[in-house]
Amino acid sequence: MRKIGMSAVLILVAWTMVSVVSAMQHEATADKGRMLFNDTKLGANGKSCNNCHKDGAGLEKAGVKQDLETIVNTCITKALTGKALKAKSVEMQSMVLYIKGLGSEKKPAGKKAPVGC
């Protein structure tokens, strides 16, 4: 009887962990946005957003744009020759969170970053 009880507890714990991991995968985060920003698979030409905007340079004020999703998709479809992201997708919302976070970070003074792709 104890073995059955212990097995049930282990199954419950495993199920809970899988549920938490699954929920985290479906939640937009700036970390996911940063990973996408650096991911060459976002496009079809072997480049990432980071090729034009090294470490987010030049995007510090982009986070206040009302049409940020459109701007992101323009870069993805034109510069990266990729497929546009859906506005409400976790991927797009993660990219938006990452880009908005760039405006709150202090960047060292230096060369002016390129604007656009």
Side-chain angles (χ1 to χ4, degrees):
M1 192 69 154
R2 279 187 111 179
K3 287 184 180 183
I4 293 173
M6 185 59 107
S7 296
V9 169
L10 289 174
I11 290 170
L12 180 62
V13 168
W15 180 80
T16 302
M17 290 174 64
V18 167
S19 297
V20 169
V21 169
S22 178
M24 289 173 60
Q25 290 176 344
H26 299 293
E27 182 180 318
T29 67
D31 283 338
K32 284 181 192 172
R34 180 183 46 76
M35 290 188 324
L36 285 167
F37 192 85
N38 290 287
D39 191 351
T40 58
K41 293 181 186 129
L42 197 56
N45 62 3
K47 294 183 179 180
S48 72
C49 300
N50 197 53
N51 284 100
C52 292
H53 308 284
K54 187 73 175 156
D55 298 323
L59 299 177
E60 295 84 0
K61 295 181 182 178
V64 298
K65 302 273 186 187
Q66 294 296 328
D67 59 345
L68 185 54
E69 289 90 351
T70 302
I71 295 167
V72 168
N73 272 334
T74 298
C75 284
I76 291 171
T77 58
K78 303 266 188 219
L80 303 181
T81 63
K83 185 178 175 188
L85 300 174
K86 292 182 181 179
K88 301 290 184 191
S89 69
V90 170
E91 293 82 5
M92 176 59 83
Q93 295 307 308
S94 293
M95 289 282 282
V96 166
L97 286 171
Y98 173 69
I99 292 169
K100 285 184 176 187
L102 294 171
S104 63
E105 296 176 8
K106 297 282 185 191
K107 298 281 183 182
K111 285 185 176 180
K112 195 169 188 175
V115 177
C117 293

